[in-house]
Amino acid sequence: MMREGLSRRQFLRASAAAGLTAAVPFRRGAEAADPRVLRIRSYTNYETLDPAFRLGAPESDIIDAVLLGLVTLTPGTTWGWERDAALSIEATDPTHIRFQLRPGLPWTNGFGELTAEDVKFSYERVANPATKSPYRGDWAKLDRVEITGRHAGVIVLKEPFLPLWSSTLPQTSSVIVCKKAVERMDGQRFTMDPGATCGPYRIRKWEPRAGLTLERNPLWPGAKPVFEEIQATPILDANAAEIAYEAGQIDVTHVPMTSIPRLRGKLPASSTLDARPGLTYWWLGMQMESGVFSDIRVRKAVQLAVDGKAVLDGAFFGVAPRSTGIVAPGLIGHREKNLVAGPDLDRARKLLAEAGHPRGFKTEIGVRNSTEFLNAAQVVAASLAKVGIQAEVVPFDSGVQKAMASDKAGGWKKMQMHVVRFSMQPDPSWATVWFTSAQIGEWNWERFSSKEYDTLHEQALLEPDAAKRHAMYVRMQDLMEESGAYVFLTHGVNAVLYRTHLKPALTPDGNRMLLRKFQLA
């Protein structure tokens, strides 16, 4: 609720500033002008740099700066990759990928050079069910990595795997960790200290919730990166990040969709705004295994009560179009329309009455503690109030929702409703994998389980016929919506605000910052 006489923009800035005060350690003005330092904002706290257990895109951005893959993403407006640690790499047939590493790539901390053993360890570690990596689906078809020389090997798949060259090899699940360093760790996993790094940058300092500092790696044998130092500061609220930018505290930040119209009208001095259609997906989810939403009639009532257009207009100022699922336009599997066309309050009330809630009920909507999420959830709550559902919006710090979802003691039962946004990569399987039954207790927060869905996900990974593959992904999203547990909201727009002296390296959807490829303009 806004106070009388306080505009929406003022309200957003005031609430954002409150969060900023606690989150950002302000720096001196002299530091703000140093072009040798790249200062970026992260929308989450950094909690783990382990590729097998990362929590979000900001962590992938850091991982990519201090560790290598065989190949890596290229920045620009079209999706592509280039060789990274690989001197050469080629598919000799649909299930064999032969690679040769560049020799002389040194690990920090005296762990020698990067070898094929490190590649084998890294990829088989993610794929191994015993590792319990939530990203094991990226290497689901890996049979083994054969070592044919100190710097050479062959990736052997159990069967052809269509997303291999789009959402597996160039992405974070294929980043190489140091076998000798990780094997020394308890449980062979780590959080913020990889033990050894091998990349253009190395970690100089990490302070929980305060930030992370990277510096040039003096051992790096390749081209020296442009910036001597990268300072990454967690600022969880997008509006607070914008204020920090305008105050000269950071050089690059994603800004909320709500800021796009205003920034397009008037940018801060010496600044550029780059807004790109997103692949990410936002949705309202309901935990369907326990509690009031275990009744499909209640979930269906919510689907009929929520006014998706009102959410987009109220929370995002109409900048982003409504989504029809979890697969964005332009990708195989994108649906033309939702099964639930729009709000139907009479039908919603009827379903609630049939479920034993003629006067509605009280519940909570959990969201990330950021203005965009809070606004979206508030508009959802307003829709639900029209049918008697009193939904309290509850903000969570980054990582807390994930910890609740993974709580084996039943903490997940407290997650009744949530507004969530997931990052995405340019293959539909990277959207659908998180909603398989195997992801319950990890990223499948609705605890949605469908044998047909699980089977289609596996079959679509192997289906070479584009039309058949498209139909599979459409059907999978139909099943999600038919479950009642999902209200698809938007794919959003990723807008990046940066100083004009910079030439940022972004993925085509603007979601990832490829930090080691940033340049001076």
Side-chain angles (χ1 to χ4, degrees):
M1 181 178 294
M2 287 182 283
R3 288 180 294 170
E4 187 176 358
L6 189 64
S7 70
R8 176 184 178 77
R9 183 65 191 169
Q10 288 170 325
F11 169 77
L12 292 176
R13 282 182 172 278
S15 58
L20 175 65
T21 301
V24 181
F26 282 93
R27 303 183 182 90
R28 300 189 305 274
E31 291 177 319
D34 191 343
R36 296 169 301 178
V37 179
L38 175 64
R39 301 166 306 157
I40 65 165
R41 167 249 179 174
S42 167
Y43 60 75
T44 63
N45 286 311
Y46 296 108
E47 297 186 28
T48 175
L49 299 181
D50 190 331
F53 298 97
R54 65 197 186 274
L55 296 174
E59 291 171 335
S60 288
D61 296 343
I62 298 298
I63 292 169
D64 181 66
V66 300
L67 294 168
L68 306 177
L70 286 175
V71 301
T72 187
L73 290 170
T74 52
T77 56
T78 58
W79 292 97
W81 57 265
E82 62 186 359
R83 293 191 302 275
D84 199 15
L87 185 65
S88 65
I89 183 168
E90 64 172 338
T92 55
D93 63 48
T95 58
H96 292 75
I97 298 93
R98 185 176 300 279
F99 65 88
Q100 179 76 36
L101 290 169
R102 286 192 280 160
L105 295 173
W107 291 109
T108 58
N109 297 332
F111 281 96
E113 66 174 334
L114 190 154
T115 69
E117 282 207 6
D118 294 313
V119 178
K120 176 181 176 66
F121 174 78
S122 301
Y123 295 0
E124 292 183 355
R125 174 174 175 258
V126 174
N128 186 352
T131 303
K132 297 182 179 179
S133 166
Y135 299 95
R136 56 189 176 275
D138 287 343
W139 281 112
K141 303 304 177 186
L142 178 67
D143 182 71
R144 64 192 183 279
V145 177
E146 293 178 350
I147 298 174
T148 58
R150 181 172 174 77
H151 300 105
V154 180
I155 299 169
V156 182
L157 304 179
K158 299 170 187 172
E159 50 193 342
F161 186 54
L162 293 179
L164 186 73
W165 294 95
S166 58
S167 60
T168 296
L169 277 173
Q171 306 283 353
T172 312
S173 292
S174 297
V175 162
I176 303 162
V177 297
C178 178
K179 176 176 183 287
K180 292 178 182 176
V182 176
E183 281 184 334
R184 293 182 183 183
M185 300 174 181
D186 289 342
Q188 297 192 9
R189 60 184 291 180
F190 56 92
T191 54
M192 293 300 291
D193 182 2
T197 60
C198 180
Y201 287 97
R202 67 180 182 182
I203 301 166
R204 190 177 80 188
K205 181 175 65 176
W206 170 63
E207 298 177 77
R209 298 179 181 273
L212 180 71
T213 301
L214 306 180
E215 62 183 2
R216 284 176 182 157
N217 179 2
L219 301 177
W220 177 243
K224 185 181 295 185
V226 168
F227 299 96
E228 293 181 8
E229 185 174 298
I230 298 175
Q231 298 172 358
T233 303
I235 307 174
L236 308 192
D237 186 278
N239 291 94
E242 189 181 333
I243 293 171
Y245 179 90
E246 293 179 354
Q249 304 303 313
I250 52 177
D251 301 317
V252 189
T253 180
H254 285 93
V255 294
M257 287 181 273
T258 51
S259 297
I260 293 175
R262 179 180 54 80
L263 289 172
R264 281 176 172 164
K266 184 178 181 180
L267 281 170
S270 303
S271 298
T272 301
L273 180 70
D274 189 344
R276 305 183 179 190
L279 295 181
T280 56
Y281 46 96
W282 296 66
W283 77 97
L284 169 69
M286 288 156 270
Q287 184 267 101
M288 56 191 291
E289 195 171 312
S290 175
V292 67
F293 295 111
S294 61
D295 189 327
I296 191 172
R297 294 171 295 185
V298 176
R299 303 194 299 269
K300 292 282 188 182
V302 169
Q303 286 182 320
L304 291 165
V306 172
D307 185 340
K309 186 176 184 305
V311 175
L312 300 179
D313 290 342
F316 306 131
F317 294 180
V319 170
R322 179 82 189 269
S323 61
T324 59
I326 56 177
V327 180
L331 297 183
I332 285 177
H334 171 68
R335 293 196 311 175
E336 291 300 319
K337 60 182 181 180
N338 287 299
L339 300 180
V340 179
D344 187 333
L345 301 185
D346 289 338
R347 285 181 62 199
R349 293 188 186 100
K350 183 173 184 295
L351 282 170
L352 287 175
E354 291 174 1
H357 306 286
R359 297 183 179 179
F361 55 86
K362 293 183 179 180
T363 187
E364 294 181 350
I365 305 175
V367 294
R368 184 187 303 169
N369 190 13
S370 177
T371 303
E372 283 184 305
F373 289 88
L374 291 166
N375 288 348
Q378 292 287 7
V379 180
V380 168
S383 290
L384 297 179
K386 294 178 180 177
V387 296
I389 299 175
Q390 300 174 49
E392 179 186 359
V393 178
V394 181
F396 289 95
D397 204 352
S398 62
V400 172
Q401 282 182 303
K402 176 65 168 61
M404 290 175 65
S406 305
D407 183 14
K408 306 302 182 188
W412 54 268
K413 294 180 181 178
K414 299 177 182 176
M415 296 178 58
Q416 290 290 295
M417 301 180 80
H418 38 263
V419 173
V420 194
R421 181 192 69 190
F422 273 12
S423 296
M424 179 58 181
Q425 295 176 9
D427 188 275
S429 65
W430 226 81
T432 56
V433 65
W434 314 115
F435 306 97
T436 59
S437 301
Q439 285 288 333
I440 292 176
E442 294 290 350
W443 292 109
N444 183 349
W445 294 356
E446 292 75 30
R447 305 180 82 82
F448 165 74
S449 183
S450 163
K451 289 183 179 178
E452 181 183 357
Y453 181 99
D454 294 347
T455 300
L456 285 170
H457 175 75
E458 292 299 320
Q459 291 176 341
L461 295 173
L462 312 174
E463 178 54 62
D465 186 300
K468 292 180 179 177
R469 196 167 187 242
H470 171 81
M472 290 176 175
Y473 287 114
V474 168
R475 175 59 181 157
M476 292 164 75
Q477 291 164 95
D478 287 348
L479 289 169
M480 293 176 72
E481 196 168 2
E482 287 170 1
S483 76
Y486 302 90
V487 178
F488 302 121
L489 296 176
T490 183
H491 294 290
V493 173
N494 292 316
V496 181
L497 183 64
Y498 59 91
R499 310 287 176 199
T500 51
H501 73 271
L502 295 175
K503 185 179 179 182
L506 307 174
T507 50
D509 63 345
N511 190 48
R512 288 281 313 279
M513 296 185 185
L514 308 178
L515 298 176
R516 57 169 140 136
K517 297 176 181 176
F518 272 52
Q519 300 287 327
L520 290 171

